[in-house]
Amino acid sequence: MGNKQMHKVLVVDDEEPILELLKYNLEKGGYDVKTASDGSKAVDIAKKFVPDLVLLDIMMPKMDGVETCRLLRDIPELQKTFVVFLTARSEEYSEVAAFDVGADDYITKPIKPRALMSRISALFRRDSKKSSPSSLITIGELTIDRTSYTIKVNDKEINLPKKEFELLYFLAQNPNKVFSREDLLQNIWGSDVYVLARTVDVHIRKVREKIGDDFITTVKGVGYKFSLN
């Protein structure tokens, strides 16, 4: 590992063989790994462990992955954490539900360890490339600080899940420029993650609910832009 940062990963699945397989491969790849067999345990562990990534099964007893993800996204310390869903279900509605609650990626079982490791590496690599000197953006009463992943509107601090934050930050970096849904999917989720276009609309709606309707404008038939008043 050398001086490379050891990323922390929490694996959540009710199937013991899958937990063991993923833990083995992740630790072999240099990650610090903890496991949980259900959603409520995962939330408790995540609060103390503060993982960089959560691999989360959707179909679990007691509390499913979607509800677990929703609870994880409500924890301020986990705003930067990636959440990747693992599921045997390939129906479109499962994908919509996963991304609606803030998932970063969606991987269908059976899981191929080598492909999974590659996917995780790509997530962390893309995230590190997003760091830039212009980490602080101030426009009117809105301040966006990418270093601390915080947003302030009229000096009131607002927490946004990672993808909502990235979406707002990207648009604010390019004020008055219109981006199509495809542009935003490419820049925020990346080309190696399959996400439905509707996911962009859902995230825009959620950002507006939290910071107000004054900043992001819908350009009918084209896409969205960050408006400078």
Side-chain angles (χ1 to χ4, degrees), residues 18-136:
I18 291 178
L19 283 181
E20 291 178 0
L21 173 70
L22 294 178
K23 188 173 191 290
Y24 171 78
N25 281 279
L26 286 162
E27 287 182 338
K28 189 177 174 185
Y31 294 98
D32 181 8
V33 184
K34 288 193 181 299
T35 62
S37 55
D38 65 61
S40 58
K41 287 179 186 174
V43 173
D44 289 339
I45 292 171
K47 288 176 182 175
K48 300 170 186 173
F49 186 49
V50 190
D52 300 297
L53 168 72
V54 178
L55 294 176
L56 182 59
D57 185 32
I58 283 191
M59 294 298 291
M60 293 186 294
K62 298 181 185 177
M63 184 191 299
D64 67 16
V66 172
E67 181 59 27
T68 302
C69 182
R70 186 177 288 112
L71 292 175
L72 291 173
R73 287 302 188 206
D74 285 338
I75 300 170
E77 293 78 15
L78 302 182
Q79 296 305 312
K80 294 184 183 181
T81 299
F82 288 110
V83 177
V84 176
F85 275 108
L86 306 174
T87 179
R89 299 167 67 176
S90 58
E91 295 90 348
E92 184 177 287
Y93 77 87
S94 293
E95 297 179 30
V96 172
F99 288 115
D100 278 1
V101 292
D104 294 285
D105 203 350
Y106 186 101
I107 297 173
T108 305
K109 295 176 180 178
I111 299 159
K112 297 176 181 175
R114 183 179 293 181
L116 176 67
M117 297 298 288
S118 175
R119 200 87 155 251
I120 292 171
S121 294
L123 269 178
F124 285 128
R125 192 165 55 247
R126 192 165 68 243
D127 191 54
S128 66
K129 286 180 181 177
K130 286 179 181 175
S131 299
S132 70
S134 58
S135 60
L136 186 68

Side-chain angles (χ1 to χ4, degrees), residues 152-166:
K152 288 185 179 179
V153 180
N154 290 322
D155 290 326
K156 179 185 177 184
E157 190 166 307
I158 297 168
N159 283 317
L160 293 183
K162 189 179 182 71
K163 281 294 181 279
E164 290 174 31
F165 181 95
E166 294 289 359

Side-chain angles (χ1 to χ4, degrees), residues 1 4-9 30-33 49 52 124:
M1 288 290 293
K4 180 184 174 184
Q5 178 191 358
M6 181 181 278
H7 290 294
K8 296 188 288 185
V9 180
Y31 294 98
D32 181 8
V33 184
F49 186 49
D52 300 297
F124 285 128

